[in-house]
Amino acid sequence: MIRYFLLLGFFFLSHTITAQTTQILLDEDQVTTTINKHIYGHFAEHLGRNIYNGFFVGDTSSIPNTAGVRNDIINALKELNIPNLRWPGGCFADTYHWKDGIGPKGKRPKIVNTWWGGVTEDNSFGTHDFLNLCETLGAAPYLSGNVGSGTVQELADWVQYTNFKGTSPMSDLRRENGRDEPWSVKFWGIGNEAWGCGGNMRPEYYADIYRTFATFMSDADVEGGLYKIASGASNDDYNWTEVLMKNIPLNMLQGVALHHYSVIDWKDKGPDVNFTEEHYFNTMSEAWLMDELITKHVAIMDKYDPEQKVDLIVDEWGGWYNVQEGTNPGFLYQQNTMRDAMIAGVTLNIFNNHAERVQMANLAQTVNVLQAVILTEEEKMILTPTYHVMHMYKDHMGAELIPASLSSPTYAFKDRTLPAISVSASKNEKGEGLASLVNIAYDETHVVTLDLGNSDFKSVTATILTSQNIQDHNDFKVPNRIKPVPLQDVKIKKGKIEVGLPPYSVVVLKLK
Ligand code: AHR
């Protein structure tokens, strides 16, 4: 704790503090939208050390596990209350034949993971392993179906295998493999990135394919029917969304996906840790772009679906850098610094503020891949700054969005600027509030005044996540270098809260 106050003292001494305070108004009178808990979802692909040597170590491992999945990972994810988990890909999904991953493990075929590192995939983690894990976590499974190299029958069979209660070829097979009750899987992706690794399709062609696959997936065995998600656009490919919305009947479609990674340049994504301010600014510019992408994709969806029946599902997002030196380029292993905490803080605020239409999102990816919340090294496990942001924000799940308005000061780099401050706020069913504030500025402390408007909150407690350098991260030698700590002396005075946000910090205010 002493170290922390020294740290804050350091910030206030060594960085500029803006003279003007930023006014943020919370308008409880305008509460109309619930923040769907599924916005806080995760993604686990058969990629690098995400499943194998990440989640899954096998039940003969000396690392404590439940049915082969590490207990420390299970506990960490339970602590986040993760609402859903997407699996088995990503690009891998369109190469995955689910029947390879059921039955006695020794008899499962060994295939090549052609997208990720060309390694042998022994299929020892399959449908039962994943769906049982989701039950253990209390998370809803989100299965990505194989459209690119699979068949309509194969996907229809997977639905029957996971969801049918009575007697049928697939439910009987499930029983033979040791599972009597169906898992009742609601969320289904119909292919992934159909414009790219999912088959390089044109949107017109994919829209037709979607209609065919969706037709044969039985809705009958899940309350309210299946929730089917179309493979969505990459970034600003607005034509993709337009063609899908125009050509897929609304009653066949519950969600349209969108993928957006905070990548500086696909040819050279820059270092994960030793990045410059220019790298940082560019990453943050990509993170903020999410707001514009959602606004514009939603505007197109509104044209074809003015009653807003179809949801926008951002089922892949996060920071993506060059892999860590010495690691397999196909494994996408990267460290996770305070820059990633900034991406997470800003992006989750954007999702909350668009909660009317964004009903689900999946951070890529959970363990040891891209913007992971958890990193492992043999028996060791660490929680990343991104994990801590997810934890600080978790009470937004299922709460009512309180619209927040502000005119943000800017973070300038050379001749470009970005909003420095990001905010979202909510109130849960117990009447408790949560305001999450992020200052992405590189060297400026911003003081904000939160005007609680007509709310009747009486007390506040504050938590902060920050560090001395934007490149700071947790590692296996110092696993708790970055963790949230209480922020003292934050009080409500005459319906307002004044709080200083050091550079690259996330501050969460809990209001009662
Ligand atoms: O998350 C890594 C990859 O990024 C996914 O497999 C793919 O869908 C996307 O291009």
Side-chain angles (χ1 to χ4, degrees):
M1 187 59 73
I2 289 171
R3 184 186 158 272
Y4 174 69
F5 283 117
L6 290 175
L7 182 73
L8 268 193
F10 167 84
F11 272 124
F12 283 103
L13 289 175
S14 67
H15 297 291
T16 317
I17 303 178
T18 40
Q20 251 187 338
T21 70
T22 303
Q23 307 291 323
I24 301 178
L25 175 68
L26 298 192
D27 195 353
E28 236 195 274
D29 297 339
Q30 299 300 320
V31 166
T32 52
T33 308
T34 302
I35 299 172
N36 194 323
K37 66 175 181 179
H38 288 297
I39 285 177
Y40 288 78
H42 291 264
F43 171 33
E45 179 165 11
H46 285 230
L47 193 179
R49 291 190 303 114
N50 195 346
I51 298 294
Y52 301 112
N53 288 321
F55 271 99
F56 189 69
V57 287
D59 56 8
T60 55
S61 171
S62 58
I63 299 172
N65 66 82
T66 302
V69 178
R70 290 176 71 131
N71 290 343
D72 51 2
I73 292 183
I74 290 175
N75 292 336
L77 295 178
K78 272 187 168 172
E79 179 57 35
L80 283 185
N81 298 341
I82 71 161
N84 70 69
L85 190 56
R86 178 174 184 247
W87 178 85
C91 294
F92 180 77
D94 281 290
T95 65
Y96 185 63
H97 300 283
W98 67 270
K99 284 181 188 160
D100 290 351
I102 56 169
K105 296 207 178 204
K107 290 196 176 152
R108 297 184 189 175
K110 292 184 172 51
I111 60 162
V112 180
N113 189 331
T114 44
W115 284 113
W116 305 117
V119 292
T120 299
E121 155 72 59
D122 70 3
N123 279 302
S124 54
F125 189 89
T127 298
H128 289 248
D129 307 273
F130 175 69
L131 295 177
N132 292 342
L133 167 64
C134 287
E135 276 187 348
T136 307
L137 292 172
Y142 168 11
L143 292 178
S144 285
N146 181 347
V147 167
S149 70
T151 63
V152 174
Q153 184 64 53
E154 204 178 337
L155 188 51
D157 281 351
W158 207 10
V159 174
Q160 191 181 87
Y161 188 88
T162 58
N163 290 357
F164 190 62
K165 207 176 168 70
T167 293
S168 77
M170 289 304 115
S171 51
D172 288 351
L173 184 58
R174 181 187 73 230
R175 281 187 201 97
E176 261 172 49
N177 289 328
R179 171 80 187 199
D180 187 17
E181 282 300 302
W183 290 278
S184 303
V185 178
K186 190 163 182 76
F187 298 117
W188 292 85
I190 303 193
N192 168 74
E193 296 194 349
W195 42 264
C197 64
N200 282 306
M201 301 176 199
R202 292 173 307 109
E204 293 79 6
Y205 179 75
Y206 172 70
D208 284 347
I209 292 256
Y210 176 97
R211 293 164 62 131
T212 311
F213 273 76
T215 301
F216 295 94
M217 296 167 72
S218 172
D219 278 311
D221 307 305
V222 171
E223 214 188 305
L226 301 184
Y227 188 100
K228 295 177 206 124
I229 299 165
S231 163
S234 169
N235 303 308
D236 59 355
D237 184 355
Y238 300 114
N239 181 54
W240 185 273
T241 301
E242 178 106 35
V243 174
L244 262 45
M245 292 302 295
K246 197 176 184 170
N247 292 297
I248 303 175
L250 295 184
N251 65 358
M252 295 184 83
L253 184 63
Q254 283 67 49
V256 170
L258 166 67
H259 288 183
H260 171 60
Y261 285 96
S262 297
V263 181
I264 294 170
D265 174 356
W266 284 100
K267 286 195 208 93
D268 179 8
K269 304 181 199 80
D272 56 346
V273 173
N274 296 316
F275 52 88
T276 60
E277 185 182 356
E278 184 161 7
H279 288 126
Y280 173 63
F281 185 92
N282 287 334
T283 304
M284 294 323 299
S285 169
E286 286 295 317
W288 266 116
L289 182 61
M290 184 68 89
D291 194 43
E292 177 184 322
L293 295 173
I294 292 174
T295 305
K296 292 187 173 171
H297 282 286
V298 165
I300 294 166
M301 292 169 74
D302 282 350
K303 244 171 52 182
Y304 298 92
D305 175 26
E307 289 175 41
Q308 307 207 328
K309 290 188 174 141
V310 179
D311 303 325
L312 185 64
I313 308 295
V314 189
D315 55 12
E316 288 186 30
W317 67 274
W320 191 331
Y321 319 112
N322 293 335
V323 297
Q324 212 170 70
E325 238 175 75
T327 64
N328 186 328
F331 279 17
L332 310 187
Y333 179 81
Q334 60 191 40
Q335 246 298 353
N336 195 292
T337 65
M338 277 306 296
R339 169 172 63 171
D340 296 279
M342 295 297 99
I343 299 174
V346 167
T347 307
L348 292 169
N349 280 343
I350 292 171
F351 292 158
N352 288 345
N353 290 324
H354 284 280
E356 208 169 81
R357 205 59 178 266
V358 177
Q359 294 290 323
M360 189 195 277
N362 302 80
L363 174 62
Q365 299 195 9
T366 321
V367 182
N368 294 330
V369 171
L370 299 178
Q371 194 176 338
V373 287
I374 290 170
L375 300 176
T376 66
E377 193 177 84
E378 295 177 350
E379 77 291 350
K380 294 186 197 138
M381 182 201 82
I382 56 174
L383 306 176
T384 65
T386 302
Y387 178 96
H388 293 307
V389 175
M390 283 274 185
H391 194 263
M392 291 166 81
Y393 277 46
K394 73 176 183 173
D395 289 349
H396 280 309
M397 283 192 267
E400 298 290 309
L401 177 74
I402 306 178
S405 53
L406 83 159
S407 167
S408 174
T410 53
Y411 161 35
F413 180 76
K414 296 189 176 160
D415 56 348
R416 297 157 66 202
T417 59
L418 290 171
I421 307 290
S422 143
V423 63
S424 72
S426 67
K427 189 173 187 175
N428 68 18
E429 57 193 8
K430 289 188 236 152
E432 296 160 347
L434 192 75
S436 43
L437 301 151
V438 186
N439 176 14
I440 66 164
Y442 200 70
D443 51 17
E444 244 177 315
T445 291
H446 288 290
V447 178
V448 302
T449 301
L450 203 71
D451 184 334
L452 301 177
N454 288 336
S455 308
D456 55 0
F457 298 118
K458 301 276 180 307
S459 68
V460 58
T461 50
T463 310
I464 184 166
L465 186 80
T466 190
S467 193
Q468 257 162 1
N469 304 299
I470 186 72
Q471 293 84 0
D472 285 349
H473 53 277
N474 293 332
D475 58 31
F476 295 95
K477 286 201 185 103
V478 190
N480 291 316
R481 184 179 287 120
I482 297 171
K483 62 175 188 186
V485 291
L487 190 57
Q488 310 294 347
D489 293 329
V490 179
K491 293 194 177 73
I492 302 181
K493 282 186 205 146
K494 297 188 182 156
K496 292 186 179 171
I497 301 168
E498 190 169 273
V499 59
L501 308 176
Y504 35 89
S505 63
V506 178
V507 169
V508 158
L509 306 175
K510 285 196 174 192
L511 302 153
K512 282 192 180 164

